[in-house]
Amino acid sequence: MNVGLPADEYDKLRESVFTTIWNELDPLEHQIEDTESIPYDVVLPALRACGAFGLIIPREYGGAGLSIAQYLPILAEFAKIQGGIRAIVHVHNSFAHALSEIGSEEQKQAILPGAAVGEKSLAFALTEPGNGTGMDLSTQARRDGDEYVLDGRKWLITNSDIASHFLVLAKTADREVSAIIVPRDAPGFTIAPLPETMGCKGAEHGELTFTDVRVPAANLVGAEGEGIAHLERALEISRVFIAASSLGTATRALDLSLRFAKERVTFGRPIGERQAIQRYLAEMATDVYALRGMLADVAAKWDRDQRVPAESSLVKQFGLEAVGRVTDRALLVHGGIGYTRKYPIERLYRDARLNWLEEGPPTVQYLVAARQLLDGFTFDDAFDSATR
């Protein structure tokens, strides 16, 4: 069971991160949106100084060792500001956390202490330009003595411009997917940028090419053929993190809309006094409240060492739908001026749309949740836990 940091230490860390978010990072929004580039010379030192890179890395490797319940509000706060910064923090923490659960002790010692202070970072290399995921992958990893030789392509790999290592999913046999760690400087491994994205500007989602890339056999994570199991575990909790990001974006959109509804006056009255605007605000609050409750439930289960395959897909799916509705209504509350860059609404609207795609689109979430339901998953535990 993960109880995380003691309350006093957690409050101090949270305050440090929140202060950095609003005093140092939020003011960079217009620069990043204008240039479609994140000023790493400012952002990375700020994230290192406040401890944002080690949030869910275990304490024995130099991280804060937060519980998931402690981590989610911090990630949600990052999702209130410029989305590219949130993407950096999310991907870094998600896959450092994954390595802490599935890596060998040698692999964890080699990467996690550096990751905890932002000197190293692990990106996840799954998606391919000509294939689906899982057994449809075409990237190959051939065993040759004490090495693996990788050939293939990946794309849309977040943090490809700053990662020191990549957790690569590749075929080691016809019906066998394995996970292998590839360092950035491996000979034959090249990284190229892809076109800029609709939202979350500045975060790089690059294309990776492996041409006879040799890495030590010790870089295999677990055993050959365990790649799908590693994939499922890593994405299971990372889907919860996406839902927390949806919560942060939705909460900011609601807060801005409430403020605007009180300040904007038409026909001598604040628009917040009009029934149509009140309905929008109440609908937005309903989505925020429901998503907060779902996240609290799934975080408590994970921190009790329970797997949450159904819950993670359900909360991820509800989160993307909720933030979509909330940002739609936020734009309606603000009217025409919300379509300009005077307010952050248009950016929040664009940033939120990445949540549809990260860690699997809606069709994948429906599939995973439905399979769990058909296999006997019920919601009884959610109600029972409230009495324990």
Side-chain angles (χ1 to χ4, degrees):
M1 182 170 181
N2 185 3
V3 297
L5 280 181
D8 57 339
E9 293 183 46
Y10 175 67
D11 290 344
K12 183 178 179 181
L13 173 62
R14 176 171 164 155
E15 181 181 359
S16 173
V17 176
F18 278 29
T19 298
T20 298
I21 287 173
W22 293 108
N23 291 357
E24 300 183 47
L25 301 177
D26 184 55
L28 300 173
E29 175 179 336
H30 282 287
Q31 176 186 344
I32 295 172
E33 295 295 311
D34 288 343
T35 64
E36 299 194 348
S37 177
I38 292 175
Y40 286 127
D41 59 328
V42 177
V43 171
L44 297 184
L47 293 174
R48 291 186 185 111
C50 72
F53 284 124
L55 293 171
I56 46 176
I57 293 176
R59 301 189 79 173
E60 59 263 37
Y61 302 105
L66 298 186
S67 67
I68 299 304
Q70 291 175 330
Y71 175 60
L72 297 186
I74 295 178
L75 182 60
E77 199 74 8
F78 273 106
K80 295 179 181 181
I81 64 167
Q82 202 279 328
I85 297 174
R86 190 279 306 175
I88 292 172
V89 174
H90 160 65
V91 170
H92 175 92
N93 277 281
S94 291
F95 294 101
H97 177 263
L99 185 66
S100 75
E101 295 193 323
I102 64 176
S104 68
E105 186 59 31
E106 180 184 25
Q107 291 163 351
K108 289 186 279 190
Q109 290 287 355
I111 296 175
L112 293 183
V117 295
E119 294 175 355
K120 295 181 179 180
S121 189
L122 181 69
F124 187 49
L126 171 64
T127 307
E128 298 184 351
N131 305 83
T133 57
M135 288 298 175
D136 193 40
L137 297 177
S138 63
T139 298
Q140 303 286 323
R142 171 177 55 86
R143 183 71 182 258
D144 183 20
D146 291 333
E147 296 179 314
Y148 282 99
V149 183
L150 284 82
D151 288 279
R153 292 169 64 206
K154 302 286 184 178
W155 74 347
L156 299 172
I157 308 306
T158 310
N159 285 5
S160 60
D161 54 342
I162 62 172
S164 61
H165 296 78
F166 294 81
L167 184 62
V168 181
L169 273 291
K171 287 279 193 70
T172 44
D174 182 51
R175 299 292 298 172
E176 182 179 273
V177 174
S178 303
I180 299 172
I181 297 172
V182 178
R184 185 182 191 90
D185 59 358
F189 178 29
T190 60
I191 305 169
L194 288 173
E196 192 50 73
T197 52
M198 170 185 176
C200 298
K201 298 288 188 179
E204 182 61 67
H205 311 277
E207 182 170 6
L208 317 181
T209 301
F210 304 89
T211 306
D212 292 330
V213 175
R214 290 180 173 270
V215 298
N219 287 22
L220 176 71
V221 178
E224 287 191 359
E226 292 183 350
I228 298 298
H230 295 328
L231 167 66
E232 290 173 347
R233 185 173 183 89
L235 293 187
E236 189 172 307
I237 191 60
S238 192
R239 286 170 179 151
V240 179
F241 300 158
I242 297 299
S245 299
S246 294
L247 175 63
T249 301
T251 300
R252 179 98 192 272
L254 174 58
D255 290 344
L256 290 168
S257 298
L258 287 166
R259 184 186 311 165
F260 187 83
K262 296 174 183 177
E263 295 173 351
R264 170 66 169 152
V265 174
T266 62
F267 297 96
R269 296 166 55 195
I271 63 172
E273 294 183 10
R274 306 187 187 282
Q275 190 174 32
I277 298 298
Q278 290 174 355
R279 176 168 179 170
Y280 287 151
L281 296 172
E283 288 173 338
M284 295 163 75
T286 300
D287 274 326
V288 168
Y289 182 42
L291 183 52
R292 284 171 63 93
M294 292 178 72
L295 282 165
D297 174 67
V298 72
K301 288 178 177 178
W302 187 274
D303 286 336
R304 293 199 301 266
D305 298 323
Q306 292 180 233
R307 292 292 297 269
V308 289
E311 294 95 323
S312 66
S313 283
L314 292 170
V315 74
K316 197 266 185 179
Q317 182 61 30
F318 180 79
L320 69 87
E321 292 174 354
V323 75
R325 288 189 294 264
V326 169
T327 51
D328 280 344
R329 284 160 176 75
L331 185 57
L332 292 172
V333 170
H334 283 74
I337 198 66
Y339 196 65
T340 74
R341 291 179 61 185
K342 180 176 175 62
Y343 297 96
I345 295 302
E346 64 85 26
R347 178 190 58 75
L348 292 168
Y349 191 98
R350 289 184 290 105
D351 285 350
R353 270 58 194 174
L354 180 58
N355 298 17
W356 269 244
L357 308 171
E358 289 180 289
E359 273 68 309
T363 49
V364 170
Q365 311 313 321
Y366 295 140
L367 175 65
V368 173
R371 283 179 174 174
Q372 292 296 315
L373 291 165
L374 292 168
D375 283 344
F377 169 81
T378 70
F379 296 100
D380 291 343
D381 287 347
F383 292 100
D384 292 344
S385 65
T387 63
R388 291 200 292 266

